[in-house]
Amino acid sequence: MSPVSFTLGTDVLVDRGLLDGRTVGVVCHPASVNDRFQHVLDRLDAGGVRIGAIFGPQHGFRADLQENMIETTHAEDRRRRVPIYSLYSETREPTDQMLEGLDALVIDLQDVGTRIYTYIYTMANCLKAAKRHDLPVIVCDRPNPIGGVAVEGPMLEPGFESFVGQYPIPMRHGMTMGELARMFNEHFGIGAKLEVVTMPEWQRQAFFDDTGLPWVLPSPNIPTLDSAIVYPGTVLFEGTNVSEGRGTTKPFELVGAPWINPEVFAARLNREGLPGVFFRPTLFEPTFHKHQGSSCGGCQIHITDRTTIRPVETGVTLLEAFRDLGGDQFLWRDPPYEYEYLLSPIDILCGSSEVRERLDRGEHARTIAAGWSDAVDAFLEVRKAFLLY
């Protein structure tokens, strides 16, 4: 597609003067910019809105923390002399004290279209806090960077809720932040005073590079659009002792472990004939995180057709190969993981124990993926009521 002319929710909000003279809290991060690189805070400042507090999600308001599961501290915005509250700290939900004196809470976060990405739950937690405080919430919608059409993967099942999965949605949900806000608020019963400022002319089939917006890292280890496209599958490696490429320049596109022969590994994967992807054998040495300083054999995942790739099935196929070829050296990671101290990390990532248990029984990834279709079809029916585009 050629770049599509459309308007971000934040620009609609400011251009229409919907908050003139009001004091607001803003939930944002470095990717909260428009096509002119103007940050939402600067846009609101220029529009006559008073910033009363700033809230940052995981990785911090400035997204300066590389590692996941590292809390950020509260701080002060020196320019505006207002507090910066971390919602990835001793609290993941704004307290009543944090919301005092605000007329509204504005949320402008760039998601990556994957159930386990915590920004959507920061948004949900803000809705819950705002409900208690009787505070209006305005969600400024942003594109789903991996498109709003394809939906894939296992559903989150009851009993496996965590900060990387609060509601029963598929791994690749195909929704925008605004659409998810409406679903969380209405279908899942939060019940806050919610307004979603939509994006005139955005098209569901558009990927991020079709929008004309600059790619600003939504988090430190999603450096490119390709990283975001494969992320719904390769994020599963956070639940294993296999490197998901953190500590390299291609996190989530590179996967590997010291005990893997890359040529044998990649050849096996390419024989699977998965659509839209090619596995190139490679060695890499992470500079931090898992296997720091060790040579890891594996592959780089090259996207050959982003409209046909099934990233979650691809991720499970990779898990199957690492498990089979690694033998006793392949391990599922033990808790804790993202504030969950009992359940297996791979289980809360997948949304249930099914993927792990079926792989442990020797079942083929393609068979496992085929079992997702009924639940995905049911989700698509529910989703229809909340689509805005």
Side-chain angles (χ1 to χ4, degrees), residues 93-301:
E93 184 174 310
T95 64
D96 290 347
Q97 181 180 4
M98 292 176 182
L99 298 177
E100 282 182 9
L102 301 181
D103 298 316
L105 192 62
V106 175
I107 299 175
D108 182 25
L109 293 172
Q110 179 60 60
D111 182 41
V112 298
T114 303
R115 182 186 67 226
I116 67 90
Y117 208 60
T118 60
Y119 298 168
I120 63 177
Y121 306 116
T122 293
M123 176 176 68
N125 289 346
C126 287
L127 288 168
K128 294 172 187 175
K131 166 68 175 176
R132 289 198 316 270
H133 207 71
D134 197 33
L135 184 72
V137 177
I138 300 169
V139 173
C140 298
D141 214 359
R142 285 189 165 268
N144 184 323
I146 62 174
V149 176
V151 175
E152 186 206 4
M155 296 284 288
L156 176 74
E157 295 183 2
F160 291 87
E161 295 87 356
S162 71
F163 192 51
V164 292
Q166 290 185 7
Y167 301 106
I169 60 177
M171 182 66 93
R172 184 179 182 181
H173 50 69
M175 300 178 75
T176 67
M177 288 288 280
E179 292 169 340
L180 285 169
R182 295 180 66 223
M183 177 181 278
F184 294 167
N185 200 51
E186 298 172 35
H187 184 69
F188 295 118
I190 297 176
K193 294 179 179 177
L194 170 66
E195 178 183 357
V196 175
V197 184
T198 59
M199 304 175 287
E201 307 304 324
W202 182 71
Q203 299 178 20
R204 300 204 72 82
Q205 71 273 23
F207 283 77
F208 198 85
D209 55 3
D210 296 319
T211 66
L213 290 170
W215 181 267
V216 177
L217 281 67
S219 58
N221 284 289
I222 306 288
T224 67
L225 176 57
D226 279 356
S227 303
I229 292 171
V230 299
Y231 181 77
T234 51
V235 70
L236 297 177
F237 285 96
E238 292 189 5
T240 75
N241 65 340
V242 172
S243 170
E244 64 272 19
R246 291 179 187 271
T248 76
T249 58
K250 292 288 185 180
F252 301 106
E253 296 175 61
L254 289 171
V255 288
W259 58 85
I260 290 295
N261 179 314
E263 285 75 21
V264 172
F265 181 74
R268 168 181 167 144
L269 288 162
N270 286 319
R271 284 196 297 270
E272 294 287 343
L274 291 168
V277 66
F278 182 83
F279 302 95
R280 182 179 61 82
T282 188
L283 290 165
F284 61 90
E285 184 178 301
T287 59
F288 61 86
H289 206 61
K290 295 177 195 171
H291 307 302
Q292 177 181 353
S294 297
S295 180
C296 293
C299 67
Q300 181 175 351
I301 304 162

Side-chain angles (χ1 to χ4, degrees), residues 56-98:
Q58 185 177 13
H59 302 290
F61 160 62
R62 304 190 190 283
D64 52 345
L65 289 181
Q66 272 280 353
E67 290 275 14
N68 61 340
M69 293 179 284
I70 300 295
E71 293 182 342
T72 50
T73 57
H74 307 302
E76 181 186 57
D77 183 271
R78 295 179 181 176
R79 174 179 154 196
R80 299 175 181 84
R81 299 295 180 185
V82 299
I84 300 173
Y85 295 119
S86 168
L87 297 181
Y88 196 76
S89 59
E90 78 284 353
T91 182
R92 284 160 298 288
E93 184 174 310
T95 64
D96 290 347
Q97 181 180 4
M98 292 176 182

